[in-house]
Amino acid sequence: MIQNTEKYRKFGLKLTPQRLAILRYLDGNKSHPSAEDIYNAVSKEFTTMSFATVYNTLEVLREKGILRELKIEPGKKRYDPDTTPHHHLICIKCKKLIDIYKRFKLTLPEDIAREFEILGNHIEFYGVCPECKQRNSQ
Ligand code: ZN
Ligand code: MN
Protein backbone atom coordinates (compact mmCIF):
# COMPACT_ATOMS: atom_id res chain seq x y z
CA MET A 1 0.00 0.00 0.00
CA ILE A 2 2.79 2.45 0.89
CA GLN A 3 4.21 1.90 -2.59
CA ASN A 4 0.81 2.90 -3.95
CA THR A 5 0.84 6.34 -2.33
CA GLU A 6 2.84 7.64 -5.32
CA LYS A 7 0.08 6.42 -7.63
CA TYR A 8 -2.55 8.30 -5.63
CA ARG A 9 -0.46 11.46 -5.53
CA LYS A 10 -0.47 11.39 -9.31
CA PHE A 11 -4.24 11.73 -9.14
CA GLY A 12 -3.69 14.96 -7.22
CA LEU A 13 -5.10 13.41 -4.09
CA LYS A 14 -4.21 14.85 -0.70
CA LEU A 15 -3.33 11.86 1.43
CA THR A 16 -4.52 12.28 4.99
CA PRO A 17 -4.18 9.31 7.39
CA GLN A 18 -7.95 8.80 7.14
CA ARG A 19 -7.87 8.72 3.36
CA LEU A 20 -4.94 6.30 3.46
CA ALA A 21 -6.89 4.00 5.77
CA ILE A 22 -9.84 4.01 3.36
CA LEU A 23 -7.54 3.37 0.39
CA ARG A 24 -5.81 0.55 2.27
CA TYR A 25 -9.17 -1.07 3.00
CA LEU A 26 -10.21 -0.80 -0.64
CA ASP A 27 -6.91 -1.97 -2.12
CA GLY A 28 -7.60 -5.32 -3.79
CA ASN A 29 -11.02 -5.51 -2.10
CA LYS A 30 -13.36 -7.67 -4.16
CA SER A 31 -16.45 -7.40 -1.94
CA HIS A 32 -17.88 -4.27 -3.60
CA PRO A 33 -18.50 -2.66 -0.19
CA SER A 34 -21.05 0.05 0.54
CA ALA A 35 -20.11 3.30 2.29
CA GLU A 36 -21.48 1.75 5.51
CA ASP A 37 -19.26 -1.33 5.12
CA ILE A 38 -16.21 0.87 4.59
CA TYR A 39 -17.10 3.08 7.53
CA ASN A 40 -17.61 0.06 9.82
CA ALA A 41 -14.23 -1.38 8.87
CA VAL A 42 -12.16 1.79 8.93
CA SER A 43 -13.69 3.39 12.03
CA LYS A 44 -12.36 0.45 14.07
CA GLU A 45 -8.89 1.89 13.52
CA PHE A 46 -9.91 5.55 13.38
CA THR A 47 -12.53 5.80 16.08
CA THR A 48 -12.95 9.54 15.50
CA MET A 49 -13.66 9.14 11.80
CA SER A 50 -17.19 10.18 10.88
CA PHE A 51 -19.42 8.62 8.28
CA ALA A 52 -19.40 11.97 6.45
CA THR A 53 -15.60 11.82 6.11
CA VAL A 54 -15.82 8.33 4.64
CA TYR A 55 -18.60 9.33 2.28
CA ASN A 56 -16.85 12.52 1.15
CA THR A 57 -13.61 10.62 0.57
CA LEU A 58 -15.45 8.07 -1.56
CA GLU A 59 -16.93 10.91 -3.61
CA VAL A 60 -13.45 12.40 -4.17
CA LEU A 61 -12.04 8.99 -5.15
CA ARG A 62 -14.90 8.48 -7.57
CA GLU A 63 -14.38 11.91 -9.15
CA LYS A 64 -10.68 11.15 -9.60
CA GLY A 65 -11.49 7.86 -11.28
CA ILE A 66 -9.90 5.74 -8.55
CA LEU A 67 -13.21 4.13 -7.62
CA ARG A 68 -16.19 3.02 -9.60
CA GLU A 69 -19.62 3.60 -8.09
CA LEU A 70 -22.22 0.88 -8.54
CA LYS A 71 -25.92 1.56 -8.14
CA ILE A 72 -27.18 -1.94 -7.64
CA GLU A 73 -29.64 -1.38 -4.83
CA PRO A 74 -31.73 1.77 -4.70
CA GLY A 75 -30.40 4.16 -2.06
CA LYS A 76 -27.28 2.11 -1.41
CA LYS A 77 -24.23 2.80 -3.50
CA ARG A 78 -21.48 0.25 -3.63
CA TYR A 79 -17.91 0.84 -4.60
CA ASP A 80 -15.51 -1.05 -6.80
CA PRO A 81 -11.80 -0.24 -6.56
CA ASP A 82 -11.28 -2.22 -9.75
CA THR A 83 -11.77 0.33 -12.51
CA THR A 84 -10.72 -1.96 -15.34
CA PRO A 85 -13.60 -2.84 -17.70
CA HIS A 86 -15.62 -5.74 -16.33
CA HIS A 87 -19.20 -6.86 -15.75
CA HIS A 88 -21.08 -8.11 -12.69
CA LEU A 89 -23.09 -11.10 -11.61
CA ILE A 90 -25.51 -10.12 -8.84
CA CYS A 91 -27.45 -12.27 -6.40
CA ILE A 92 -30.88 -10.69 -5.89
CA LYS A 93 -31.21 -12.39 -2.48
CA CYS A 94 -27.93 -11.72 -0.64
CA LYS A 95 -26.77 -8.90 -2.97
CA LYS A 96 -23.39 -10.50 -3.49
CA LEU A 97 -21.53 -9.18 -6.52
CA ILE A 98 -19.13 -11.26 -8.55
CA ASP A 99 -16.80 -9.88 -11.18
CA ILE A 100 -17.00 -11.12 -14.72
CA TYR A 101 -13.91 -10.58 -16.77
CA LYS A 102 -15.13 -11.53 -20.16
CA ARG A 103 -15.59 -9.49 -23.28
CA PHE A 104 -19.00 -9.68 -24.85
CA LYS A 105 -19.46 -8.74 -28.45
CA LEU A 106 -22.01 -6.00 -28.21
CA THR A 107 -22.64 -3.74 -31.13
CA LEU A 108 -25.03 -0.87 -31.04
CA PRO A 109 -26.77 -0.17 -34.34
CA GLU A 110 -25.97 3.29 -35.73
CA ASP A 111 -29.54 4.58 -35.29
CA ILE A 112 -29.46 3.73 -31.59
CA ALA A 113 -25.90 4.91 -30.96
CA ARG A 114 -26.85 8.34 -32.39
CA GLU A 115 -23.29 9.18 -33.42
CA PHE A 116 -22.08 8.60 -29.87
CA GLU A 117 -18.51 7.47 -29.63
CA ILE A 118 -19.05 4.34 -27.51
CA LEU A 119 -16.32 4.03 -24.88
CA GLY A 120 -17.50 1.06 -22.88
CA ASN A 121 -20.35 -0.87 -21.35
CA HIS A 122 -21.29 -2.52 -18.10
CA ILE A 123 -23.58 -5.54 -17.99
CA GLU A 124 -25.34 -6.64 -14.80
CA PHE A 125 -26.53 -10.23 -14.72
CA TYR A 126 -29.13 -10.88 -12.03
CA GLY A 127 -29.88 -14.20 -10.43
CA VAL A 128 -29.84 -16.31 -7.30
CA CYS A 129 -26.45 -17.55 -6.10
CA PRO A 130 -25.88 -21.26 -5.24
CA GLU A 131 -25.85 -20.51 -1.48
CA CYS A 132 -29.19 -18.68 -1.60
CA LYS A 133 -30.67 -21.33 -3.86
CA GLN A 134 -29.75 -23.98 -1.32
CA ARG A 135 -31.07 -21.90 1.59
CA ASN A 136 -34.41 -21.61 -0.20
CA SER A 137 -34.77 -25.32 -0.79
CA GLN A 138 -34.15 -26.23 2.85
ZN1 ZN B 1 -27.05 -15.04 -2.69
MN1 MN C 1 -16.37 -5.44 -9.83
Side-chain angles (χ1 to χ4, degrees):
M1 186 59 214
I2 296 300
Q3 64 271 25
N4 279 343
T5 55
E6 225 23 67
K7 170 176 117 190
Y8 295 125
R9 278 212 184 87
K10 256 183 257 153
F11 284 101
L13 194 67
K14 250 194 261 151
L15 291 173
T16 61
Q18 279 102 326
R19 282 185 176 179
L20 276 172
I22 294 170
L23 286 165
R24 208 182 306 125
Y25 175 75
L26 289 170
D27 199 35
N29 191 318
K30 292 275 180 194
S31 70
H32 304 86
S34 66
E36 289 81 6
D37 297 330
I38 298 164
Y39 170 72
N40 288 338
V42 178
S43 63
K44 279 188 194 126
E45 186 187 349
F46 286 88
T47 49
T48 55
M49 179 137 44
S50 68
F51 181 75
T53 302
V54 172
Y55 191 80
N56 293 338
T57 300
L58 295 172
E59 278 298 296
V60 172
L61 296 177
R62 186 188 55 78
E63 276 165 29
K64 301 264 184 202
I66 298 169
L67 267 190
R68 187 160 134 190
E69 184 184 285
L70 303 170
K71 292 189 177 106
I72 306 295
E73 297 167 65
K76 194 180 176 195
K77 291 180 201 169
R78 294 184 49 180
Y79 296 90
D80 195 342
D82 183 356
T83 55
T84 63
H86 66 277
H87 309 288
H88 290 110
L89 188 58
I90 302 152
C91 176
I92 58 162
K93 301 255 183 219
C94 68
K95 313 289 185 211
K96 123 170 80 211
L97 259 105
I98 296 168
D99 293 320
I100 303 173
Y101 296 95
K102 181 180 168 29
R103 280 175 194 273
F104 298 98
K105 258 223 174 89
L106 283 175
T107 46
L108 215 47
E110 270 309 319
D111 57 323
I112 298 173
R114 293 170 188 270
E115 289 172 33
F116 263 60
E117 184 191 348
I118 305 299
L119 300 173
N121 55 52
H122 173 216
I123 310 171
E124 295 171 351
F125 293 90
Y126 292 93
V128 181
C129 75
E131 288 79 17
C132 289
K133 238 170 35 187
Q134 206 176 15
R135 218 171 289 142
N136 270 12
S137 63
Q138 272 168 3

PDB file of all heavy atoms in Angstrom, residues 15-40:
ATOM      1  N   LEU A  15      -3.250  13.121   0.693  1.00  0.00           N
ATOM      2  CA  LEU A  15      -3.328  11.860   1.433  1.00  0.00           C
ATOM      3  C   LEU A  15      -3.262  12.086   2.938  1.00  0.00           C
ATOM      4  O   LEU A  15      -2.207  12.155   3.532  1.00  0.00           O
ATOM      5  CB  LEU A  15      -2.208  10.922   0.974  1.00  0.00           C
ATOM      6  CG  LEU A  15      -2.365  10.394  -0.461  1.00  0.00           C
ATOM      7  CD1 LEU A  15      -1.136   9.627  -0.888  1.00  0.00           C
ATOM      8  CD2 LEU A  15      -3.605   9.535  -0.610  1.00  0.00           C
ATOM      9  N   THR A  16      -4.435  12.178   3.537  1.00  0.00           N
ATOM     10  CA  THR A  16      -4.523  12.276   4.992  1.00  0.00           C
ATOM     11  C   THR A  16      -4.492  10.851   5.538  1.00  0.00           C
ATOM     12  O   THR A  16      -4.761   9.903   4.795  1.00  0.00           O
ATOM     13  CB  THR A  16      -5.838  12.957   5.389  1.00  0.00           C
ATOM     14  OG1 THR A  16      -6.921  12.146   4.902  1.00  0.00           O
ATOM     15  CG2 THR A  16      -5.952  14.352   4.798  1.00  0.00           C
ATOM     16  N   PRO A  17      -4.164  10.672   6.826  1.00  0.00           N
ATOM     17  CA  PRO A  17      -4.178   9.310   7.394  1.00  0.00           C
ATOM     18  C   PRO A  17      -5.529   8.627   7.223  1.00  0.00           C
ATOM     19  O   PRO A  17      -5.589   7.423   6.968  1.00  0.00           O
ATOM     20  CB  PRO A  17      -3.869   9.547   8.877  1.00  0.00           C
ATOM     21  CG  PRO A  17      -3.170  10.857   8.928  1.00  0.00           C
ATOM     22  CD  PRO A  17      -3.733  11.683   7.796  1.00  0.00           C
ATOM     23  N   GLN A  18      -6.607   9.392   7.328  1.00  0.00           N
ATOM     24  CA  GLN A  18      -7.946   8.804   7.139  1.00  0.00           C
ATOM     25  C   GLN A  18      -8.138   8.302   5.716  1.00  0.00           C
ATOM     26  O   GLN A  18      -8.644   7.212   5.503  1.00  0.00           O
ATOM     27  CB  GLN A  18      -9.048   9.838   7.446  1.00  0.00           C
ATOM     28  CG  GLN A  18      -9.322   9.994   8.910  1.00  0.00           C
ATOM     29  CD  GLN A  18      -8.673  11.253   9.444  1.00  0.00           C
ATOM     30  OE1 GLN A  18      -7.599  11.628   8.984  1.00  0.00           O
ATOM     31  NE2 GLN A  18      -9.326  11.881  10.398  1.00  0.00           N
ATOM     32  N   ARG A  19      -7.730   9.125   4.766  1.00  0.00           N
ATOM     33  CA  ARG A  19      -7.869   8.717   3.361  1.00  0.00           C
ATOM     34  C   ARG A  19      -7.021   7.490   3.069  1.00  0.00           C
ATOM     35  O   ARG A  19      -7.445   6.598   2.340  1.00  0.00           O
ATOM     36  CB  ARG A  19      -7.459   9.864   2.435  1.00  0.00           C
ATOM     37  CG  ARG A  19      -8.545  10.897   2.315  1.00  0.00           C
ATOM     38  CD  ARG A  19      -8.193  11.949   1.307  1.00  0.00           C
ATOM     39  NE  ARG A  19      -9.306  12.858   1.151  1.00  0.00           N
ATOM     40  CZ  ARG A  19      -9.276  13.910   0.346  1.00  0.00           C
ATOM     41  NH1 ARG A  19      -8.203  14.170  -0.371  1.00  0.00           N
ATOM     42  NH2 ARG A  19     -10.334  14.682   0.256  1.00  0.00           N
ATOM     43  N   LEU A  20      -5.817   7.459   3.661  1.00  0.00           N
ATOM     44  CA  LEU A  20      -4.942   6.299   3.456  1.00  0.00           C
ATOM     45  C   LEU A  20      -5.578   5.031   4.023  1.00  0.00           C
ATOM     46  O   LEU A  20      -5.478   3.959   3.429  1.00  0.00           O
ATOM     47  CB  LEU A  20      -3.575   6.539   4.100  1.00  0.00           C
ATOM     48  CG  LEU A  20      -2.581   7.318   3.235  1.00  0.00           C
ATOM     49  CD1 LEU A  20      -1.340   7.672   4.041  1.00  0.00           C
ATOM     50  CD2 LEU A  20      -2.193   6.544   1.985  1.00  0.00           C
ATOM     51  N   ALA A  21      -6.239   5.165   5.166  1.00  0.00           N
ATOM     52  CA  ALA A  21      -6.891   3.997   5.774  1.00  0.00           C
ATOM     53  C   ALA A  21      -8.014   3.490   4.875  1.00  0.00           C
ATOM     54  O   ALA A  21      -8.190   2.280   4.712  1.00  0.00           O
ATOM     55  CB  ALA A  21      -7.438   4.368   7.153  1.00  0.00           C
ATOM     56  N   ILE A  22      -8.753   4.393   4.278  1.00  0.00           N
ATOM     57  CA  ILE A  22      -9.837   4.007   3.363  1.00  0.00           C
ATOM     58  C   ILE A  22      -9.254   3.344   2.121  1.00  0.00           C
ATOM     59  O   ILE A  22      -9.730   2.289   1.686  1.00  0.00           O
ATOM     60  CB  ILE A  22     -10.707   5.236   3.000  1.00  0.00           C
ATOM     61  CG1 ILE A  22     -11.445   5.732   4.252  1.00  0.00           C
ATOM     62  CG2 ILE A  22     -11.687   4.903   1.884  1.00  0.00           C
ATOM     63  CD1 ILE A  22     -12.134   7.070   4.094  1.00  0.00           C
ATOM     64  N   LEU A  23      -8.183   3.934   1.592  1.00  0.00           N
ATOM     65  CA  LEU A  23      -7.542   3.367   0.394  1.00  0.00           C
ATOM     66  C   LEU A  23      -6.959   1.993   0.692  1.00  0.00           C
ATOM     67  O   LEU A  23      -7.033   1.081  -0.130  1.00  0.00           O
ATOM     68  CB  LEU A  23      -6.440   4.302  -0.114  1.00  0.00           C
ATOM     69  CG  LEU A  23      -6.942   5.564  -0.819  1.00  0.00           C
ATOM     70  CD1 LEU A  23      -5.823   6.588  -0.957  1.00  0.00           C
ATOM     71  CD2 LEU A  23      -7.515   5.219  -2.189  1.00  0.00           C
ATOM     72  N   ARG A  24      -6.406   1.841   1.889  1.00  0.00           N
ATOM     73  CA  ARG A  24      -5.815   0.553   2.273  1.00  0.00           C
ATOM     74  C   ARG A  24      -6.915  -0.514   2.354  1.00  0.00           C
ATOM     75  O   ARG A  24      -6.738  -1.639   1.924  1.00  0.00           O
ATOM     76  CB  ARG A  24      -5.099   0.694   3.630  1.00  0.00           C
ATOM     77  CG  ARG A  24      -3.950  -0.286   3.803  1.00  0.00           C
ATOM     78  CD  ARG A  24      -3.291  -0.168   5.175  1.00  0.00           C
ATOM     79  NE  ARG A  24      -2.864   1.195   5.490  1.00  0.00           N
ATOM     80  CZ  ARG A  24      -3.220   1.866   6.584  1.00  0.00           C
ATOM     81  NH1 ARG A  24      -3.998   1.306   7.486  1.00  0.00           N
ATOM     82  NH2 ARG A  24      -2.788   3.091   6.796  1.00  0.00           N
ATOM     83  N   TYR A  25      -8.060  -0.124   2.898  1.00  0.00           N
ATOM     84  CA  TYR A  25      -9.172  -1.070   3.004  1.00  0.00           C
ATOM     85  C   TYR A  25      -9.671  -1.485   1.618  1.00  0.00           C
ATOM     86  O   TYR A  25     -10.034  -2.641   1.390  1.00  0.00           O
ATOM     87  CB  TYR A  25     -10.318  -0.450   3.815  1.00  0.00           C
ATOM     88  CG  TYR A  25     -11.551  -1.320   3.870  1.00  0.00           C
ATOM     89  CD1 TYR A  25     -11.579  -2.452   4.681  1.00  0.00           C
ATOM     90  CD2 TYR A  25     -12.664  -1.036   3.082  1.00  0.00           C
ATOM     91  CE1 TYR A  25     -12.697  -3.270   4.711  1.00  0.00           C
ATOM     92  CE2 TYR A  25     -13.785  -1.843   3.111  1.00  0.00           C
ATOM     93  CZ  TYR A  25     -13.789  -2.957   3.930  1.00  0.00           C
ATOM     94  OH  TYR A  25     -14.897  -3.765   3.943  1.00  0.00           O
ATOM     95  N   LEU A  26      -9.654  -0.528   0.695  1.00  0.00           N
ATOM     96  CA  LEU A  26     -10.206  -0.804  -0.639  1.00  0.00           C
ATOM     97  C   LEU A  26      -9.233  -1.521  -1.561  1.00  0.00           C
ATOM     98  O   LEU A  26      -9.647  -2.174  -2.512  1.00  0.00           O
ATOM     99  CB  LEU A  26     -10.638   0.511  -1.292  1.00  0.00           C
ATOM    100  CG  LEU A  26     -11.864   1.176  -0.694  1.00  0.00           C
ATOM    101  CD1 LEU A  26     -12.034   2.577  -1.255  1.00  0.00           C
ATOM    102  CD2 LEU A  26     -13.107   0.337  -0.968  1.00  0.00           C
ATOM    103  N   ASP A  27      -7.939  -1.407  -1.253  1.00  0.00           N
ATOM    104  CA  ASP A  27      -6.911  -1.966  -2.119  1.00  0.00           C
ATOM    105  C   ASP A  27      -7.110  -3.479  -2.300  1.00  0.00           C
ATOM    106  O   ASP A  27      -7.026  -4.238  -1.348  1.00  0.00           O
ATOM    107  CB  ASP A  27      -5.533  -1.669  -1.514  1.00  0.00           C
ATOM    108  CG  ASP A  27      -4.436  -1.810  -2.561  1.00  0.00           C
ATOM    109  OD1 ASP A  27      -4.696  -1.479  -3.730  1.00  0.00           O
ATOM    110  OD2 ASP A  27      -3.336  -2.269  -2.209  1.00  0.00           O
ATOM    111  N   GLY A  28      -7.411  -3.899  -3.505  1.00  0.00           N
ATOM    112  CA  GLY A  28      -7.604  -5.319  -3.793  1.00  0.00           C
ATOM    113  C   GLY A  28      -8.887  -5.907  -3.232  1.00  0.00           C
ATOM    114  O   GLY A  28      -9.084  -7.115  -3.257  1.00  0.00           O
ATOM    115  N   ASN A  29      -9.770  -5.047  -2.693  1.00  0.00           N
ATOM    116  CA  ASN A  29     -11.021  -5.507  -2.098  1.00  0.00           C
ATOM    117  C   ASN A  29     -12.013  -5.910  -3.189  1.00  0.00           C
ATOM    118  O   ASN A  29     -12.347  -5.128  -4.071  1.00  0.00           O
ATOM    119  CB  ASN A  29     -11.609  -4.378  -1.239  1.00  0.00           C
ATOM    120  CG  ASN A  29     -12.756  -4.827  -0.373  1.00  0.00           C
ATOM    121  OD1 ASN A  29     -13.620  -5.574  -0.804  1.00  0.00           O
ATOM    122  ND2 ASN A  29     -12.767  -4.367   0.866  1.00  0.00           N
ATOM    123  N   LYS A  30     -12.474  -7.143  -3.121  1.00  0.00           N
ATOM    124  CA  LYS A  30     -13.360  -7.674  -4.161  1.00  0.00           C
ATOM    125  C   LYS A  30     -14.810  -7.752  -3.699  1.00  0.00           C
ATOM    126  O   LYS A  30     -15.660  -8.319  -4.386  1.00  0.00           O
ATOM    127  CB  LYS A  30     -12.890  -9.084  -4.563  1.00  0.00           C
ATOM    128  CG  LYS A  30     -11.567  -9.097  -5.295  1.00  0.00           C
ATOM    129  CD  LYS A  30     -11.809  -8.845  -6.770  1.00  0.00           C
ATOM    130  CE  LYS A  30     -10.514  -8.837  -7.575  1.00  0.00           C
ATOM    131  NZ  LYS A  30     -10.765  -8.258  -8.906  1.00  0.00           N
ATOM    132  N   SER A  31     -15.102  -7.215  -2.500  1.00  0.00           N
ATOM    133  CA  SER A  31     -16.447  -7.403  -1.944  1.00  0.00           C
ATOM    134  C   SER A  31     -17.456  -6.343  -2.394  1.00  0.00           C
ATOM    135  O   SER A  31     -18.612  -6.409  -2.017  1.00  0.00           O
ATOM    136  CB  SER A  31     -16.367  -7.450  -0.417  1.00  0.00           C
ATOM    137  OG  SER A  31     -16.039  -6.169   0.095  1.00  0.00           O
ATOM    138  N   HIS A  32     -16.992  -5.344  -3.154  1.00  0.00           N
ATOM    139  CA  HIS A  32     -17.878  -4.269  -3.597  1.00  0.00           C
ATOM    140  C   HIS A  32     -18.625  -3.675  -2.400  1.00  0.00           C
ATOM    141  O   HIS A  32     -19.859  -3.725  -2.335  1.00  0.00           O
ATOM    142  CB  HIS A  32     -18.865  -4.772  -4.659  1.00  0.00           C
ATOM    143  CG  HIS A  32     -18.190  -5.408  -5.846  1.00  0.00           C
ATOM    144  ND1 HIS A  32     -17.837  -6.723  -5.862  1.00  0.00           N
ATOM    145  CD2 HIS A  32     -17.782  -4.901  -7.019  1.00  0.00           C
ATOM    146  CE1 HIS A  32     -17.244  -7.006  -7.015  1.00  0.00           C
ATOM    147  NE2 HIS A  32     -17.198  -5.913  -7.734  1.00  0.00           N
ATOM    148  N   PRO A  33     -17.879  -3.133  -1.437  1.00  0.00           N
ATOM    149  CA  PRO A  33     -18.504  -2.659  -0.195  1.00  0.00           C
ATOM    150  C   PRO A  33     -19.319  -1.387  -0.387  1.00  0.00           C
ATOM    151  O   PRO A  33     -19.080  -0.612  -1.320  1.00  0.00           O
ATOM    152  CB  PRO A  33     -17.294  -2.364   0.704  1.00  0.00           C
ATOM    153  CG  PRO A  33     -16.181  -2.060  -0.239  1.00  0.00           C
ATOM    154  CD  PRO A  33     -16.418  -2.903  -1.454  1.00  0.00           C
ATOM    155  N   SER A  34     -20.273  -1.195   0.507  1.00  0.00           N
ATOM    156  CA  SER A  34     -21.049   0.049   0.540  1.00  0.00           C
ATOM    157  C   SER A  34     -20.291   1.038   1.428  1.00  0.00           C
ATOM    158  O   SER A  34     -19.337   0.662   2.115  1.00  0.00           O
ATOM    159  CB  SER A  34     -22.432  -0.222   1.126  1.00  0.00           C
ATOM    160  OG  SER A  34     -22.306  -0.600   2.487  1.00  0.00           O
ATOM    161  N   ALA A  35     -20.738   2.292   1.435  1.00  0.00           N
ATOM    162  CA  ALA A  35     -20.110   3.299   2.291  1.00  0.00           C
ATOM    163  C   ALA A  35     -20.193   2.864   3.758  1.00  0.00           C
ATOM    164  O   ALA A  35     -19.249   3.055   4.529  1.00  0.00           O
ATOM    165  CB  ALA A  35     -20.784   4.653   2.084  1.00  0.00           C
ATOM    166  N   GLU A  36     -21.303   2.228   4.129  1.00  0.00           N
ATOM    167  CA  GLU A  36     -21.480   1.753   5.509  1.00  0.00           C
ATOM    168  C   GLU A  36     -20.448   0.670   5.837  1.00  0.00           C
ATOM    169  O   GLU A  36     -19.855   0.682   6.925  1.00  0.00           O
ATOM    170  CB  GLU A  36     -22.891   1.192   5.723  1.00  0.00           C
ATOM    171  CG  GLU A  36     -24.004   2.218   5.731  1.00  0.00           C
ATOM    172  CD  GLU A  36     -24.459   2.640   4.326  1.00  0.00           C
ATOM    173  OE1 GLU A  36     -23.985   2.047   3.332  1.00  0.00           O
ATOM    174  OE2 GLU A  36     -25.262   3.582   4.232  1.00  0.00           O
ATOM    175  N   ASP A  37     -20.255  -0.258   4.907  1.00  0.00           N
ATOM    176  CA  ASP A  37     -19.264  -1.325   5.121  1.00  0.00           C
ATOM    177  C   ASP A  37     -17.874  -0.724   5.342  1.00  0.00           C
ATOM    178  O   ASP A  37     -17.127  -1.166   6.219  1.00  0.00           O
ATOM    179  CB  ASP A  37     -19.175  -2.250   3.890  1.00  0.00           C
ATOM    180  CG  ASP A  37     -20.483  -2.990   3.621  1.00  0.00           C
ATOM    181  OD1 ASP A  37     -21.218  -3.259   4.592  1.00  0.00           O
ATOM    182  OD2 ASP A  37     -20.752  -3.301   2.436  1.00  0.00           O
ATOM    183  N   ILE A  38     -17.539   0.252   4.515  1.00  0.00           N
ATOM    184  CA  ILE A  38     -16.211   0.869   4.588  1.00  0.00           C
ATOM    185  C   ILE A  38     -16.075   1.624   5.906  1.00  0.00           C
ATOM    186  O   ILE A  38     -15.061   1.514   6.594  1.00  0.00           O
ATOM    187  CB  ILE A  38     -15.980   1.799   3.368  1.00  0.00           C
ATOM    188  CG1 ILE A  38     -16.028   0.967   2.074  1.00  0.00           C
ATOM    189  CG2 ILE A  38     -14.645   2.537   3.486  1.00  0.00           C
ATOM    190  CD1 ILE A  38     -16.191   1.786   0.799  1.00  0.00           C
ATOM    191  N   TYR A  39     -17.123   2.340   6.265  1.00  0.00           N
ATOM    192  CA  TYR A  39     -17.105   3.078   7.535  1.00  0.00           C
ATOM    193  C   TYR A  39     -16.939   2.114   8.715  1.00  0.00           C
ATOM    194  O   TYR A  39     -16.108   2.339   9.597  1.00  0.00           O
ATOM    195  CB  TYR A  39     -18.391   3.893   7.693  1.00  0.00           C
ATOM    196  CG  TYR A  39     -18.545   4.490   9.067  1.00  0.00           C
ATOM    197  CD1 TYR A  39     -17.740   5.556   9.470  1.00  0.00           C
ATOM    198  CD2 TYR A  39     -19.472   3.972   9.971  1.00  0.00           C
ATOM    199  CE1 TYR A  39     -17.847   6.092  10.737  1.00  0.00           C
ATOM    200  CE2 TYR A  39     -19.594   4.502  11.235  1.00  0.00           C
ATOM    201  CZ  TYR A  39     -18.781   5.558  11.617  1.00  0.00           C
ATOM    202  OH  TYR A  39     -18.895   6.071  12.878  1.00  0.00           O
ATOM    203  N   ASN A  40     -17.697   1.032   8.718  1.00  0.00           N
ATOM    204  CA  ASN A  40     -17.614   0.063   9.820  1.00  0.00           C
ATOM    205  C   ASN A  40     -16.211  -0.522   9.956  1.00  0.00           C
ATOM    206  O   ASN A  40     -15.727  -0.731  11.068  1.00  0.00           O
ATOM    207  CB  ASN A  40     -18.621  -1.069   9.612  1.00  0.00           C
ATOM    208  CG  ASN A  40     -20.039  -0.601   9.853  1.00  0.00           C
ATOM    209  OD1 ASN A  40     -20.272   0.393  10.543  1.00  0.00           O
ATOM    210  ND2 ASN A  40     -20.997  -1.286   9.248  1.00  0.00           N
TER     211      ASN A  40
END
